[in-house]
């Protein structure tokens, strides 16, 4: 904290007056800085669960199908054993009771198949990036985009013909894992039949040209930014 002291020109004891003025301000030592995140020493410690894991026995538990003693006296018949119940039970395939056979279960799993994302842990790229073209540089200035702002290239089914989306996804995953696309991670939107390739604005044009040439895409791919929508096509 800065303190400004105004005195007259003919004042001789300025230092004494300043000391007297500063006595009214409390002096306290600042507390030591403690970061909210754990230190490096804590990170190396192993993570131990609070409770011990449950013990799972290999023995099959006995099924308790017997009735209470009061009901046994009314029925007058002993409780059936597990073997007798197994003999009486008709042999049906799994899923026949509720009408979901193997084919239907497989179709349901295909319907709700997850969209997987891949990303590269390396920071350096094996290929040299090129400078911006004039249309793309004009787009950056029009929307006032930051070089480290994220954008995404959208690849649809029409861009993959005559290939399939799965084939393009396999090639793209291999390229990202081998650090051929800087700052990139991709997401397969299976419900939309699209592949979204995220990257920084600084490498957007390089990534777009790589996708067009190496993955042999057809047509135009669209570059979109959050809250701005489609801003560029290549």
């Amino acid at each position: 904290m800065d303190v400004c002291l105004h005195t007259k020109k003919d004042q001789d004891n300025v230092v004494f007056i300043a000391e007297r003025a500063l006595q009214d301000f409390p002096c306290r030592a600042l507390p030591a800085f403690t970061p909210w995140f754990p230190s490096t020493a804590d990170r190396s410690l192993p993570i131990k669960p609070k409770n011990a894991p449950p013990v799972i026995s290999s023995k099959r538990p006995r099924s308790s199908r017997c009735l209470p003693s009061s009901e046994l006296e009314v029925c007058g018949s002993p409780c059936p054993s597990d073997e007798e119940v197994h003999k009486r039970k008709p042999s049906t395939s799994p899923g026949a009771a509720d009408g979901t056979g193997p084919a239907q279960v497989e179709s349901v799993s295909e319907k709700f198949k997850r969209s997987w994302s891949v990303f590269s842990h390396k920071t350096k790229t094996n290929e040299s990036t090129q400078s911006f073209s004039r249309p793309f540089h004009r787009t950056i200035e029009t929307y006032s985009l930051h070089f480290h702002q994220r954008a995404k290239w959208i690849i649809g089914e029409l861009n993959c013909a005559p290939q399939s989306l799965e084939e393009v996804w396999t090639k793209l995953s291999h390229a990202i894992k081998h650090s051929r696309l800087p700052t990139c991670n991709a997401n397969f939107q299976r419900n939309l039949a699209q592949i979204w390739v995220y990257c920084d604005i600084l490498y957007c044009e390089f990534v777009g040209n790589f996708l067009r040439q190496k993955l042999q895409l057809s047509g135009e791919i669209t570059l979109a930014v959050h809250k701005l929508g489609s801003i560029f096509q290549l």
Side-chain angles (χ1 to χ4, degrees):
M1 181 176 62
D2 298 333
V3 179
C4 298
L5 183 63
H6 300 275
T7 60
K8 298 180 180 179
K9 293 182 178 179
D10 55 349
Q11 205 100 26
D12 296 334
N13 52 352
V14 178
V15 178
F16 178 74
I17 297 174
E19 291 178 352
R20 289 281 306 275
L22 292 176
Q23 288 179 358
D24 299 334
F25 291 92
C27 297
R28 62 182 182 88
L30 296 176
F33 173 73
T34 55
W36 59 269
F37 50 86
S39 61
T40 54
D42 297 336
R43 292 177 185 175
S44 60
L45 297 177
I47 300 176
K48 296 182 179 180
K50 185 177 180 181
N51 300 327
V55 179
I56 302 176
S57 177
S58 59
K59 297 181 180 179
R60 183 179 179 184
R62 294 184 59 185
S63 59
S64 57
R65 293 194 181 93
C66 295
L67 298 174
S69 58
S70 59
E71 297 185 15
L72 280 174
E73 295 176 357
V74 177
C75 295
S77 60
C79 175
S81 62
D82 291 343
E83 296 180 358
E84 294 178 357
V85 173
H86 182 71
K87 291 179 181 179
R88 297 176 187 175
K89 186 178 180 181
S91 59
T92 56
S93 59
D98 53 354
T100 56
Q104 294 184 4
V105 172
E106 187 177 352
S107 63
V108 170
S109 62
E110 287 291 333
K111 182 179 179 180
F112 295 99
K113 196 171 183 179
R114 289 184 59 188
S115 301
W116 297 99
S117 178
V118 297
F119 57 94
S120 175
H121 293 280
K122 299 181 180 179
T123 55
K124 294 183 179 180
T125 176
N126 298 328
E127 299 189 17
S128 59
T129 58
Q130 58 184 3
S131 58
F132 298 145
S133 64
R134 187 172 297 178
F136 188 69
H137 190 271
R138 193 182 304 115
T139 302
I140 295 176
E141 292 180 346
T142 302
Y143 293 99
S144 302
L145 301 176
H146 193 273
F147 285 156
H148 294 290
Q149 187 173 350
R150 301 292 282 179
K152 66 179 179 182
W153 288 105
I154 302 175
I155 303 174
E157 283 185 316
L158 297 178
N159 301 122
C160 301
Q163 307 176 86
S164 64
L165 275 173
E166 295 288 345
E167 294 175 350
V168 174
W169 175 251
T170 303
K171 296 178 182 178
L172 177 62
S173 302
H174 184 271
I176 295 180
K177 289 180 180 179
H178 288 76
S179 301
R180 302 189 65 183
L181 296 174
T183 70
C184 268
N185 65 310
N187 187 267
F188 197 166
Q189 298 288 334
R190 299 181 189 274
N191 55 338
L192 301 177
Q194 293 178 349
I195 298 176
W196 296 352
V197 185
Y198 295 90
C199 60
D200 290 354
I201 292 292
L202 184 63
Y203 301 101
C204 272
E205 194 168 21
F206 168 78
V207 172
N209 290 325
F210 183 93
L211 298 176
R212 287 289 305 267
Q213 298 172 6
K214 301 298 182 181
L215 303 185
Q216 300 176 357
L217 301 180
S218 59
E220 292 184 343
I221 55 178
T222 304
L223 181 67
V225 177
H226 182 57
K227 294 184 179 181
L228 294 178
S230 175
I231 62 171
F232 190 74
Q233 290 183 341
L234 187 63

